[in-house]
Every structure is written in C-alpha cells, then in structure tokens.
Amino acid sequence: MGPEGFLTTLPQGAIHASCSTVAPDTNRRLAEAHQQHGSTLVASPVFGKPDVAQAGNLWVGSSGPTEARQRLEPLQAAFGQGTYSFGDDAGAASVAKLCGNFLLGTVIEGMAEALTLAEKAGLDRVAFYEMLTSTLFNNPIYKSYGKLIAERHYQPVGAPPAIIRKDMNLVVQEAYKQGVPMPFANIIRDQLTATVALNEQDVDWASFAERVAQGAGL
C-alpha cells in the first residue's frame, strides 16, 4: 500500500494470496486496493503447525473472485492437503480462520481445566490425558495440545502466545461487530494476555493452560 508498497510492483492481472491471519475487513480493504490497481487478492489463510507446513499438509481456506481462486488451486495444492472455498467475499476465509483458532483455544482451555481438576483430586494428569485421548477425544487436536498440557512442557513452539493473542483479539472484535456474544473468546484472550504479561515468549501458545494450573495452586 502507498507509493512504495508492494502493490505498485505487481503487474496487471497478478494475484496476491494473503495467507496471514488478519481481520476480515483488512482483506476486504486490500481487495478493493487490488481491484483499483488491476490485480486481485485471494484470502488464503492456512491451518496447521510448522511441521505440518513443512510436510505440505496444511489445510487452506480460500475466498475471493472465482477465477482467481481457481488459478491459485495448483499453488495451494503444493503446500496443502485440501482447500476449502468460502465464496467471493475476500473477508470470508479470514472469518473461517478466526473461528478455527477460537475453537483451538477452547480445546486448550477445556483440557487445562479438566486436567487441573483431575490432578487436584488426586489423579495422575498424564494418565488421565492418555485415557481421554484413547477414548472420547481420540483426535489429533486433543492429542497434540493435550500432550503439552498434560506434561506442562510447551515445546516445540507452533505459535507463540503473543501471535495468538492478536488473533483472539480479532475474534472478539469480529464478534462485537456481528453482535455475537462469545464469553469463551474473552476468557482465552485474557489468559493469553496474562501469559504475554509474564513474558512467556519461547513457548507454544498452549502455555496459557498454566494460568489454570497456577490459579488452582499447582
């Protein structure tokens, strides 16, 4: 944007695949700027940790003009195992990304509360985690984040707390705009705010689970 921005360097007909997690209205404004320039923006936020990206197994959300989305499909297939289209609105895929990150946060908060209660009541938290993820919650999300929480060891870093705090702030802002009460989103954002305030940087964002354990005296 602006006279020295990258937009001025794009040729006519170019497509900008925006993979960042941003506010839906940010991508809408970018799409308008691209349209004035003669280029096109397609929102392409991704789901997956760094190791998933390295393996080319990300999940991709996509929204923007149909023709541009179709032109991007071979590129998206190179780094993703599946692409899901959310229509022509450049902000739509960003909404999907924010909702997805919110759901991940609810998993972390829920596992943190459950494992903390179990430990306070005398159960072995790791053994309880293993039971949960071998039965009712036998899926990759509960297993991967649950392992970090059960062991209280938040490495390797998928995303640091400060980055996801930004995302949760965007969730709360979008919820306010749409008139949707989201009390869990506010709880998760507050937990991340406390984690950032404690200067926890080189840990996965799931480390906000420690706020639950500390609140229970563990």
Side-chain angles (χ1 to χ4, degrees), residues 9-65:
T9 68
L10 289 178
Q12 296 287 308
I15 300 174
H16 171 199
S18 174
C19 298
S20 300
T21 303
V22 298
D25 283 344
T26 297
N27 270 339
R28 293 184 182 112
R29 289 194 297 271
L30 285 171
E32 291 176 0
H34 275 286
Q35 187 175 24
Q36 294 172 6
H37 177 72
S39 51
T40 305
L41 179 132
V42 174
S44 302
V46 297
F47 294 87
K49 292 185 176 183
D51 59 329
V52 176
Q54 189 173 12
N57 288 327
L58 294 168
W59 297 104
V60 186
S62 184
S63 66

Side-chain angles (χ1 to χ4, degrees), residues 97-114:
K97 173 62 174 176
L98 294 178
C99 290
N101 280 7
F102 161 70
L103 284 172
L104 292 176
T106 66
V107 169
I108 294 168
E109 177 69 20
M111 286 291 281
E113 292 184 18

Side-chain angles (χ1 to χ4, degrees), residues 131-195:
M131 184 278 285
L132 289 175
T133 55
S134 298
T135 54
L136 295 176
F137 301 95
N138 185 7
N139 69 67
I141 297 301
Y142 279 99
K143 284 186 173 182
S144 62
Y145 284 111
K147 187 175 190 297
L148 300 178
I149 298 165
E151 296 178 353
R152 300 181 72 175
H153 179 72
Y154 302 97
Q155 298 283 347
V157 179
I163 293 294
I164 307 300
R165 176 183 178 236
K166 176 266 296 180
D167 295 351
M168 288 302 150
N169 200 45
L170 295 177
V171 171
V172 172
Q173 290 174 4
E174 186 67 17
Y176 180 83
K177 175 186 174 183
Q178 300 296 341
V180 179
M182 295 185 71
F184 284 1
N186 284 279
I187 290 171
I188 296 163
R189 182 180 63 169
D190 288 349
Q191 299 282 51
L192 285 163
T193 295
T195 300

